């Protein structure tokens, strides 16, 4: 009997708006400082990374087939990154200053999901090239995930004249406990009798801080079934039935 359990690994890129964070940065840095530093340059932030699809995470999952059309899974994942900005503005265009501005973010999350294949789960074709088997065996699916995320972020500013560059220091810390639900559309391409590559597009609807985090996501993952394979095939007869 085929083992119904499987595992997977993947990566997802996000396109989060981060409107709350950007509004705060604009109030504290990009509104007043350009008035006294004519050569002030807006610091690079995670909103800029998001625009370039540079915010992504890694995750792993364990799941189980429930029927030829349904499966479920549990996943854990996360990511983290720093951004550093180093500027040399001049106070009123004359007095040289140093400005160091840094932003960090790190998150961990857990997910539960249910997947439905309206035309059944993919089966690996018996013949053809590697690419043709994957394409001919592809099956679409829909999915719903529920996610809990803990996100920790910091913003640090150090500024002063060149002879006292740390004259002014400020650090802010942000902690978020977030719940979201993500309807998903995807396609699963079988690449062996036990393995598949999945492409997903989803949208995350958060219960709080929607202006900050509601966003689409794009993921690529690999899935592999436990057990089965050649050992299981050797226990079967040539007509697909078990030997007796």
């Amino acid at each position: 009997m085929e083992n119904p359990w499987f595992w997977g690994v993947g990566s997802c890129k996000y396109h989060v708006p981060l409107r709350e964070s950007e509004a705060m940065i604009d109030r504290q840095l990009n509104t007043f400082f350009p008035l006294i530093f004519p050569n002030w340059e807006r610091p690079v932030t995670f909103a800029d990374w998001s625009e370039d699809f540079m915010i992504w995470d890694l995750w792993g999952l364990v799941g189980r087939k429930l029927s030829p059309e349904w499966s479920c899974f549990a996943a854990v994942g996360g990511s983290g990154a720093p951004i550093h900005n180093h500027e040399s503005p001049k106070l009123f265009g004359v007095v040289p200053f140093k400005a160091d501005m840094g932003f960090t973010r790190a998150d961990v999350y857990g997910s539960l999901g249910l997947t439905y294949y309206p035309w059944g789960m993919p089966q690996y074709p018996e013949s053809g090239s590697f690419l043709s088997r994957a394409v001919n065996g592809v099956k679409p699916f829909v999915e719903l995930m529920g996610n809990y995320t803990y996100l920790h972020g910091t913003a640090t500013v150090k500024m002063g004249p060149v002879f006292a560059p740390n004259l002014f220091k400020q650090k802010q810390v942000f902690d978020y406990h977030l719940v979201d639900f993500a309807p998903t559309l995807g396609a699963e391409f079988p690449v062996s009798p036990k393995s598949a590559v999945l492409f997903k597009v989803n949208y995350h609807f958060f219960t709080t801080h929607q202006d900050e985090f509601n966003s689409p996501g794009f993921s690529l993952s690999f899935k592999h079934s436990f057990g089965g394979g050649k050992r299981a095939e050797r226990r079967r007869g040539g007509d697909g039935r078990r030997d007796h």
Side-chain angles (χ1 to χ4, degrees):
M1 181 177 179
E2 181 184 3
N3 191 324
W5 292 92
F6 59 87
W7 60 267
V9 292
S11 174
C12 185
K13 287 185 177 290
Y14 299 100
H15 193 56
V16 285
L18 301 177
R19 295 188 185 95
E20 296 175 11
S21 300
E22 282 299 290
M24 182 185 64
I25 292 171
D26 285 340
R27 287 194 307 268
Q28 297 185 7
L29 297 178
N30 296 321
T31 300
F32 173 70
F33 286 151
L35 300 177
I36 60 175
F37 296 105
N39 63 330
W40 179 264
E41 294 185 8
R42 178 183 174 277
V44 175
T45 67
F46 283 109
D48 299 305
W49 279 26
S50 180
E51 284 295 318
D52 294 331
F53 291 93
M54 292 173 60
I55 296 180
W56 56 282
D57 62 31
L58 298 173
W59 47 264
L61 64 80
V62 174
R64 192 180 194 279
K65 299 176 183 177
L66 304 176
S67 76
E69 292 82 24
W70 291 91
S71 67
C72 61
F73 65 87
V76 293
S79 65
I83 294 178
H84 300 289
N85 292 271
H86 306 286
E87 296 189 17
S88 300
K90 290 187 177 181
L91 182 64
F92 301 118
V94 177
V95 182
F97 265 59
K98 291 290 184 182
D100 293 330
M101 292 160 287
F103 308 97
T104 67
R105 71 186 304 274
D107 67 88
V108 292
Y109 64 86
S111 305
L112 294 175
L114 187 64
T115 309
Y116 173 62
Y117 298 79
W119 291 281
M121 296 180 186
Q123 301 295 322
Y124 191 63
E126 295 182 356
S127 62
S129 66
F130 175 82
L131 182 60
S132 66
R133 289 186 184 193
V135 173
N136 292 334
V138 64
K139 289 294 179 67
F141 61 86
V142 294
E143 192 170 87
L144 179 64
M145 289 191 299
N147 308 289
Y148 165 76
T149 303
Y150 168 67
L151 189 150
H152 176 78
T154 66
T156 305
V157 177
K158 299 179 181 178
M159 182 180 294
V162 291
F163 54 84
N166 297 328
L167 182 63
F168 171 78
K169 295 181 182 180
Q170 183 176 356
K171 181 177 181 179
Q172 293 176 292
V173 177
F174 309 91
D175 290 298
Y176 295 93
H177 295 273
L178 304 165
V179 174
D180 77 275
F181 299 92
T184 301
L185 295 175
E188 182 171 329
F189 295 81
V191 295
S192 81
K194 296 169 59 179
S195 304
V197 172
L198 293 80
F199 295 92
K200 300 182 184 182
V201 178
N202 53 29
Y203 197 91
H204 294 261
F205 294 93
F206 285 81
T207 58
T208 57
H209 299 283
Q210 291 89 350
D211 286 345
E212 183 81 345
F213 298 113
N214 275 13
S215 60
F218 311 89
S219 71
L220 173 65
S221 60
F222 173 81
K223 185 173 83 172
H224 187 76
S225 297
F226 289 104
K230 294 182 179 179
R231 183 182 299 176
E233 290 299 321
R234 287 197 294 267
R235 295 199 296 266
R236 299 177 185 271
D239 60 356
R241 295 174 297 180
R242 288 187 179 276
D243 293 327
H244 294 286

